[in-house]
Amino acid sequence: MALLLKGGRVVDPAAGVDGVLDVLVENGVIAGVGEDLEAPGAEVVDCAEKVLLPGLADIHVHLREPGQEYKETIASGTRAAAHGGFTAVACMPNTAPVCDSGSTVRFVIERAEETGVVRVYPIGAVTAGQAGEQLAEVGDMVAEGAVAFSDDGHGIQSAGMTRVAMDYIKRFDVPLIAHCEDESLAGGGVVNEGAVSTRMGLPGIPAEAEETMVARDIALAELTGCRLHLAHLSTAGSLELVRRAKARGVAVTCEVTPHHLFLDEDSLVTYDTDLKMNPPLRTPADREAMVEGLLDGTVDCIATDHAPHAVHEKELEFELAPNGTTGLETALSLVNTHLVATGKLDWAGVCRVMCHNPRSAANLPEMRLEAGFPADITVVDPEARVDVTPGWFVSRSRNSAFTGASLLGRASDVLVGGSWVVRKGKVVV
Amino acid sequence: MLSNRHIMTMDDLTSNEVTLILDTAESLAEVNQRRIKKVPTLRGRTIVNLFFEPSTRTRTSFEIAAKRLSADGINFTASASATAKGETLRDTARTLAAMSCDLVVVRHKYAGAPQMLAEVMDCSVINGGDGIHQHPTQALLDLYTMRQSLGRLEGLRVGIVGDVCHSRVAGSLVPALRMMGATPVIIGPPTLMPARPDVLGAEVCYDLDEVLPTLDVAYLLRVQFERATRMPFPSNREYAMLYGMNADRLAAMPSHAIVMHPGPMNRGVEISADVADSPRSVILGQVESGVAVRMAAMYLLLGGAESGAAA
């Protein structure tokens, strides 16, 4: 079955293309990209006014399966990913049981093959049970298909344990993805420590709880030579540490979430638990620093930290509600609304921060809009209006920090391996 | 009447409204001196005391206030957290809303809980203390007591001493004092200060002895050991040495100055027994003021003038 995507703006800096072109797909693979392609018998899809990007990848999602299927499953989470324009996700290991063994990695991969609609890459735990005390069987997990390792949800509190983990992991040439949070500084905090925590009477988490561990992990990455990827950075100080480390040539990459790019602590005044996350929303100055870091290349990629929770879990007192917001379905629209439509970031830049950089940071296979690569393609309608309402989500959960927003642009059509998973904005598998 | 349906924080009130509440409390205080301490003002209205956190003095104060206005008062004591019963806070609110009450007084261990309840319920809500956030009727009764004792609020310099960062009393009193033209000074070790005292609008001082001679009021806070994640000072002995109010420190204050405390007191830690019981202590006066101020707040929130005279 052949597909001819006609007349869209095809953008992929890795493939060296940016222009109104046609893309021919045959047998799940890109057969050609060029002007006025012809393919007798192929299904022709008019892509005028659309932007074609290599399939977007989100390397920080929580699919909740196994163990918390009432929040999300691999089936529902990958549909949410497709709905948001992603063709690949890397899923964090804080499931129940924790993904800290080869058999659990295998389970996730097999379950994704059975029920998933986008590509799923498991991230294994660094330490057994994510308890921070003993190395998990990293080699076994690599053999089963784990792409990276993380104790996401908690920082590894012991520097000695982190050093051992980095020393061990580097042998496999996979990254350690660090959740940077010194819990002795974070205490029982639930929002950023500062003006808002003081005014709202909520215990605060100082920026330094993140920054001291960012500094520590960068130092340990230099010591060990392990690839380090810093998850969900939230403070200007953290970015400055990354900026300096990169200048020294340290193998460090980092990600920022859409909520840390486009929201700050000032939106917390209503005690809305959908805005409770870890790390917390920081100051407007931190938010601006995140955008600046994204534009100047200090931030390698956008990752959503998609963290679905059931309604009844979020209908609690702010301090008791779980952390996290969903993110897969709104990320692309937010980036278009706030960065592309405002002229701050072009589509090649979107490719870098939502496709190529995340893939290289988390060891995912490369995708390009170039003959010979799998036909994983995200077609964007940059003019489509998206009103974010609870009923609009495909995820099993509704805890979005952006509910009520009116956004511009969305993934209108998505191909994974040459098969449609989204047509005209609707998930079709 | 008040412009806002709820009293969640001091931000819900203007200075004119604060003055109205204090003036109304003054006239209602007379009811508390009568042999029959009851007026028919809120007859037929239902007031629910919804306490998620153990409290005797505040709950009793609200309960007496409701009864003296002839409202039907109901105590609804929930467990420390709604989740302990497997029910969400919003479920609890929905349940109460279905019972058609007129006013709910909420005391909760966690900040923001009264706001969450008010979003679901149609009735008025008074925040009876939420976590380390605010306790507006405490601030109002403190203002009332200061005005009674010192004859004015404007221009007063009020030292709030001790565990400021864990104090919902300080959280309400600092903005309340500023609103009424007084100057709040928060005093304590840096480990007991909020992250950004400047946003509350208070002067900050770490040395009690330095500032005592300038104060009209020394307002001592209870050290809330139960809320601290780690011991914020070396020992109770050292705390008393640096920040405890005692006879010598009282003598260093101007002769008209008064001592206040929201209770319950840690005698020997933040206040010595002789100061607590001295004539310059108005701590029991605060308790007495509490009933009149809460009567005024209920009366004004429920449109009492429509249903009868204040007294």
Side-chain angles (χ1 to χ4, degrees):
Chain A
M1 170 70 184
L3 274 174
L4 185 58
L5 310 178
K6 290 287 288 182
R9 182 175 164 199
V10 179
V11 182
D12 182 2
V17 292
D18 186 349
V20 176
L21 298 165
D22 301 339
V23 177
L24 179 62
V25 175
E26 286 177 346
N27 301 318
V29 175
I30 296 175
V33 178
E35 288 182 9
D36 302 323
L37 296 183
E38 293 200 9
E43 178 191 344
V44 178
V45 179
D46 180 10
C47 291
E49 312 298 321
K50 306 279 175 61
V51 178
L52 275 65
L53 307 174
L56 307 181
D58 186 348
I59 60 171
H60 191 147
V61 307
H62 298 274
L63 294 179
R64 305 296 190 206
E65 186 177 2
Q68 293 182 310
E69 291 83 355
Y70 67 98
K71 297 177 194 249
E72 194 81 285
T73 61
I74 290 171
S76 66
T78 55
R79 280 171 175 76
H83 194 220
F86 294 97
T87 63
V89 294
C91 55
M92 285 296 174
N94 55 341
T95 46
V98 169
C99 185
D100 62 358
S101 67
S103 57
T104 314
V105 170
R106 172 58 34 199
F107 167 84
V108 171
I109 288 173
E110 287 178 355
R111 194 83 179 130
E113 282 168 359
E114 289 163 15
T115 66
V117 304
V118 304
R119 301 178 198 272
V120 175
Y121 299 94
I123 296 168
V126 178
T127 64
Q130 293 190 308
E133 287 166 8
Q134 186 188 331
L135 272 180
E137 290 185 338
V138 168
D140 188 20
M141 287 190 274
V142 169
E144 294 293 351
V147 292
F149 293 88
S150 178
D151 274 1
D152 184 55
H154 300 283
I156 302 173
Q157 298 301 302
S158 156
M161 182 70 240
T162 307
R163 191 239 165 116
V164 168
M166 286 188 179
D167 260 337
Y168 192 76
I169 285 172
K170 73 180 176 195
R171 171 200 176 291
F172 301 98
D173 193 29
V174 293
L176 185 146
I177 300 179
H179 170 127
C180 291
E181 181 185 17
D182 182 323
E183 289 169 9
S184 72
L185 284 174
V190 295
V191 295
N192 182 47
E193 180 178 298
V196 170
S197 69
T198 301
R199 229 180 264 127
M200 294 178 72
L202 291 170
I205 303 173
E208 288 74 9
E210 175 174 304
E211 291 161 5
T212 53
M213 200 175 276
V214 167
R216 182 199 78 176
D217 284 359
I218 287 172
L220 293 174
E222 281 184 281
L223 172 68
T224 61
C226 181
R227 285 170 59 190
L228 173 65
H229 178 73
L230 300 166
H232 48 49
L233 293 186
S234 66
T235 78
S238 293
L239 284 193
E240 194 48 42
L241 288 162
V242 171
R243 202 171 270 129
R244 286 191 223 150
K246 284 186 168 182
R248 290 199 302 279
V250 183
V252 59
T253 54
C254 71
E255 70 190 32
V256 171
T257 69
H259 44 275
H260 290 112
L261 283 167
F262 307 125
L263 293 173
D264 58 55
E265 61 177 355
D266 291 344
S267 57
L268 278 162
V269 289
T270 57
Y271 295 90
D272 180 353
T273 56
D274 284 344
L275 299 173
K276 184 186 176 192
M277 49 264 295
N278 186 22
L281 298 177
R282 301 287 187 181
T283 66
D286 286 312
R287 191 193 66 70
E288 285 163 21
M290 295 296 125
V291 174
E292 193 187 320
L294 187 78
L295 300 180
D296 72 16
T298 306
V299 175
D300 295 274
C301 60
I302 291 172
T304 69
D305 194 2
H306 178 75
H309 292 291
V311 170
H312 69 268
E313 293 174 308
K314 280 286 194 179
E315 282 194 343
L316 296 179
E317 297 81 342
F318 194 89
E319 289 181 54
L320 296 178
N323 288 309
T325 169
T326 58
L328 281 165
E329 295 172 78
T330 46
L332 177 62
S333 302
L334 286 161
V335 167
N336 184 55
T337 305
H338 295 290
L339 299 178
V340 181
T342 56
K344 292 177 182 162
L345 189 69
D346 59 15
W347 286 109
V350 175
C351 277
R352 276 192 293 272
V353 298
M354 297 186 79
C355 176
H356 298 306
N357 289 355
R359 285 173 192 277
S360 60
N363 250 23
L364 271 48
E366 194 179 5
M367 289 290 164
R368 289 190 197 174
L369 292 180
E370 191 175 307
F373 279 84
D376 285 17
I377 300 172
T378 301
V379 182
V380 183
D381 180 350
E383 300 300 327
R385 270 274 155 212
V386 176
D387 293 317
V388 183
T389 59
W392 177 77
F393 291 104
V394 170
S395 166
R396 193 164 273 195
S397 292
R398 299 286 179 268
N399 56 302
S400 169
F402 296 98
T403 298
S406 182
L407 303 174
L408 184 65
R410 63 171 304 169
S412 61
D413 305 275
V414 178
L415 277 169
V416 176
S419 299
W420 293 114
V421 292
V422 173
R423 290 307 307 268
K424 296 181 180 166
K426 303 279 183 209
V427 179
V428 292
V429 282
Chain B
M1 295 306 103
L2 304 177
S3 55
N4 212 308
R5 230 170 95 227
H6 311 297
I7 302 179
M8 291 288 174
T9 70
M10 289 308 299
D11 294 337
D12 290 334
L13 300 167
T14 63
S15 59
N16 284 341
E17 287 174 331
V18 170
T19 302
L20 174 65
I21 292 172
L22 302 189
D23 291 346
T24 308
E26 219 162 68
S27 68
L28 286 168
E30 181 264 327
V31 175
N32 298 326
Q33 306 307 322
R34 296 181 191 175
R35 195 173 64 85
I36 307 294
K37 301 177 179 59
K38 212 172 178 75
V39 288
T41 313
L42 294 184
R43 195 165 52 201
R45 314 301 290 271
T46 306
I47 296 175
V48 176
N49 282 326
L50 177 58
F51 276 58
F52 290 89
E53 197 182 44
S55 157
T56 305
R57 66 179 61 213
T58 303
R59 202 204 63 221
T60 307
S61 180
F62 274 110
E63 199 177 334
I64 290 174
K67 284 186 193 306
R68 292 198 175 155
L69 294 172
S70 300
D72 296 317
I74 289 146
N75 285 328
F76 188 108
T77 308
S79 52
S81 145
T83 45
K85 288 172 153 183
E87 185 178 71
T88 71
L89 186 63
R90 278 186 203 276
D91 278 335
T92 308
R94 289 179 192 115
T95 303
L96 272 173
M99 295 181 193
S100 306
C101 36
D102 297 295
L103 172 68
V104 174
V105 179
V106 186
R107 156 68 64 95
H108 204 290
K109 184 179 174 186
Y110 296 113
Q115 280 85 338
M116 291 180 77
L117 289 163
E119 279 172 28
V120 179
M121 295 189 291
D122 290 331
C123 63
S124 291
V125 176
I126 293 179
N127 177 2
D130 62 330
I132 59 173
H133 182 215
Q134 290 226 356
H135 190 1
T137 59
Q138 176 74 43
L140 290 166
L141 74 88
D142 290 335
L143 294 180
Y144 182 88
T145 308
M146 287 177 211
R147 199 174 77 165
Q148 291 288 101
S149 303
L150 300 169
R152 66 192 166 100
L153 292 172
E154 195 166 357
L156 291 183
R157 200 166 151 79
V158 179
I160 300 168
V161 187
D163 190 355
V164 181
C165 70
H166 296 121
S167 175
R168 53 191 169 212
V169 174
S172 295
L173 186 55
V174 168
L177 287 166
R178 280 177 55 83
M179 187 187 294
M180 303 312 288
T183 303
V185 186
I186 56 178
I187 305 148
T191 48
L192 290 177
M193 289 292 175
R196 288 281 303 278
D198 57 305
V199 303
L200 294 177
E203 286 180 23
V204 181
C205 182
Y206 301 131
D207 186 341
L208 177 61
D209 291 309
E210 180 187 291
V211 76
L212 271 178
T214 71
L215 299 179
D216 300 296
V217 180
Y219 194 109
L220 309 167
L221 297 171
R222 185 171 73 83
V223 179
Q224 299 189 55
F225 295 105
E226 71 279 12
R227 288 195 196 269
T229 49
R230 60 182 64 83
M231 186 70 174
F233 44 79
S235 64
N236 285 354
R237 180 180 165 278
E238 179 155 318
Y239 181 84
M241 186 181 93
L242 294 174
Y243 297 103
M245 180 55 71
N246 53 36
D248 288 344
R249 289 200 164 108
L250 188 57
M253 294 179 73
S255 57
H256 68 270
I258 56 171
V259 175
M260 299 176 72
H261 192 298
M265 294 179 276
N266 293 313
R267 284 180 186 245
V269 183
E270 67 262 2
I271 190 166
S272 65
D274 53 345
V275 171
D277 301 330
S278 83
R280 289 169 68 183
S281 156
V282 296
I283 295 168
L284 285 177
Q286 289 172 266
V287 178
E288 190 184 338
S289 307
V291 173
V293 165
R294 286 170 178 135
M295 286 168 76
M298 290 173 174
Y299 166 74
L300 292 168
L301 275 180
L302 292 183
E306 294 162 20
S307 49

